[in-house]
Amino acid sequence: MKRLAALGWPALGVVTLVLLWVGAALYMGKPHVLPGPWAVAETMFSMRGPLVVAAAKSLSRVGVGWLAAAAVALPAGWAMGAVPALDRELRALLSLLRPIPPFVWLPLLLLWVGIGEPSSWMVCFVAALFPILAHARQGVAETPVALAAAAENLGATGLHLWARVRVPAALPLTFTGLKAGWSLAWMSVVAAELVGADGGLGQLILDSRNLARPDLAMSGMAVLGAVAAVTGGLLGWAERRVAE
Amino acid sequence: MIRLRSVNKAFAPAAGGPAVDALVGFDLEVGGGEIVAILGPSGSGKTTVLKLVAGFERADAGVVEVNGAPVTTISPQRVLVQQDSALFPWLNVEDNIGFGLRAQGRADGTAVGQWVRRLGLVGAERRYPKELSGGMRQRVALARALAVRPEVLLLDEPFGALDAISRDTMQDVLEEAWSITRPSVILVTHSVDEALRLADRVVVVSERPARVRATVEVPAGRPRDVAAMGELRRALREVIRGGDAMPGEGA
Ligand SMILES: Nc1ncnc2c1ncn2[C@@H]1O[C@H](COP(=O)(O)OP(=O)(O)OP(=O)(O)O)[C@@H](O)[C@H]1O
Ligand SMILES: [Mg+2]
């Protein structure tokens, strides 16, 4: 019953949305402006090739940028959380950089590295960097004093204290950062593709506007949402596995 | 052998303002393998005594020694079981108990298994702290501390959060576990009966700053029947009540 309810409420939301959409599309009667769900589904099927290619392209960009961000931000954040002097040194800088929306870096990146894969990677990198860093830092900094003391009291030092206490204590917040970084990287890749990076879902959506194909744009949006949701879900699954 | 002599300890409040004296001229001696209970009002400085012996805090003045050597560091020779047990939530029962041995590069599954049995944790080895009752958590905390075979075991109100029945059981469990390695124990408690049940000596301390107001020997064998210790219990209660009428009065 509970499970049914858990499935039922989100399903109800989707059904309501689709019904509203159908109603609006019928009422408007202009499929070239607002196609109905059936038209979008048809397009998704007939255009499945290009959609998959575009999704793969975007996914690879997000993946590269996000992985690079994690590789830099996790150790840096953990170190900041553990070393107050380093933390003081870098916090001011971070609090200046962090509120800048990642897409704002685009013009500069385009200027520096030109349109192409590297600038897309870098936008995703910048987008994912700050949430991952901030959460990893907080996770380590907020290791309960009692736990760190207990670990030391039992003889844990150096690496062991890190691997078995500080990092595990930081994991829940670290995953929050990784997930936030992932979704921010997705938003940013679309922005990069809308501005000009070659291929990807963002460009597909932009092109469909130029082609006056709202059905295609909506297909792209649906795929975008689905891919981001599924991959985000994978991260949540990984978190539960690691937490075991 | 634990020795505190003329120990002073003050804390600077985080919010600023004058320092708070937790201990002034505090004396305490605990012989090898002895169990000493500290009884005293809330906030008087009892936890501070344990933290000084554990090496978590340094005295401002006076002597804190174990076996004739001043305490200068945290060490697995002197293990503190904290008020809230402080188990690692990401480790299961077994790994919590084995934590100290493993941290010291002496991982030992057999020893862990023994402590699991001794503290009545068979069947719970794979469970995580959040899946345990308060009593079970304290069993794990005790096993985790005893597994490193410390010379000194410091217990900070270990059963304070338990109901009367679990508390009773846990006192038996503690006594039995203690008898295996016989560490010196300082047991902080709010319960007169618990002190009489477990301690060789009961030290009654004053309101903050804690000073020793009275020391009461408990000349009874083990295991004990506290119900038969009416005389001693009355005497101890008398000492404690006297303190309420004259806070800070010396012994
Ligand atoms: N790290 C600290 N910083 C500031 N003040 C502290 C610190 N530790 C203890 N104190 C203060 O020192 C006094 C004694 O504290 P302590 O924890 O030793 O008391 P206690 O007897 O264990 O109390 P309780 O029975 O409530 O556990 C209290 O007034 C407390 O607020
Ligand atoms: Mg205390």
Side-chain angles (χ1 to χ4, degrees), chain A residues 143 145-157 160-161 164-166 168-169 243-244, chain B residues 56 74-76 78-80 82 86-91 99-100 102-104 128 144-145 148:
Chain A
T143 301
V145 178
L147 291 187
E152 247 187 288
N153 196 186
L154 293 163
T157 52
H160 197 90
L161 192 60
R164 301 274 292 175
V165 180
R166 286 196 177 279
E244 284 298 297
Chain B
F56 287 16
I74 295 176
S75 154
R78 295 170 262 110
V79 176
L80 170 62
Q82 302 179 57
L87 299 178
F88 305 114
W90 54 86
L91 296 181
F99 183 92
R102 204 169 157 164
Q104 297 170 43
Y128 285 84
R144 184 177 73 173
V148 300

Side-chain angles (χ1 to χ4, degrees), chain A residues 91-201:
Chain A
R91 263 233 324 253
L93 181 66
L94 283 181
S95 58
L96 258 170
L97 291 178
R98 199 180 165 197
I100 302 175
F103 353 97
V104 173
W105 290 90
L106 256 176
L108 271 182
L109 287 173
L110 291 178
L111 198 65
W112 291 337
V113 294
I115 295 181
E117 291 312 286
S119 63
S120 318
W121 292 335
M122 283 164 83
V123 170
C124 294
F125 172 83
V126 173
L129 187 72
F130 293 109
I132 299 178
L133 186 76
H135 284 91
R137 177 201 154 273
Q138 195 186 352
V140 169
E142 289 177 4
T143 301
V145 178
L147 291 187
E152 247 187 288
N153 196 186
L154 293 163
T157 52
L159 255 186
H160 197 90
L161 192 60
W162 265 96
R164 301 274 292 175
V165 180
R166 286 196 177 279
V167 168
L171 269 186
L173 269 175
T174 300
F175 264 100
T176 304
L178 286 171
K179 287 188 281 192
W182 183 255
S183 49
L184 258 178
W186 267 103
M187 295 182 202
S188 309
V189 83
V190 173
E193 289 164 356
L194 284 171
V195 172
D198 195 32
L201 285 168

Side-chain angles (χ1 to χ4, degrees), chain B residues 11-12 20 22 41-48 57 83 157 190 208:
Chain B
F11 291 104
V20 173
S42 280
S44 55
K46 303 181 300 296
T47 298
T48 304
E57 301 280 355
Q83 236 155 332
E157 295 178 43
H190 276 126
R208 186 177 64 79

Side-chain angles (χ1 to χ4, degrees), chain B residues 2-76:
Chain B
I2 307 165
R3 207 164 79 100
L4 283 82
R5 180 148 317 287
S6 313
V7 170
N8 292 356
K9 179 67 189 175
F11 291 104
V20 173
D21 285 323
L23 302 175
V24 173
F26 191 84
D27 295 318
L28 181 71
E29 277 192 21
V30 182
E34 203 180 12
I35 302 181
V36 169
I38 299 183
L39 268 175
S42 280
S44 55
K46 303 181 300 296
T47 298
T48 304
V49 172
L50 300 187
K51 286 189 168 167
L52 287 169
V53 177
F56 287 16
E57 301 280 355
R58 303 292 296 275
D60 299 331
V63 174
V64 180
E65 286 178 354
V66 170
N67 293 334
V71 170
T72 54
T73 57
I74 295 176
S75 154

Side-chain angles (χ1 to χ4, degrees), chain A residues 12 18 26 33 35 53 61 68 70 82 104 133 140 143 174 197 204 207 210 217 225 227-228:
Chain A
L12 190 67
V18 170
L26 286 176
V33 179
V53 169
R61 289 171 171 160
V104 173
L133 186 76
V140 169
T143 301
T174 300
L204 183 134
D207 286 350
N210 298 338
V227 173

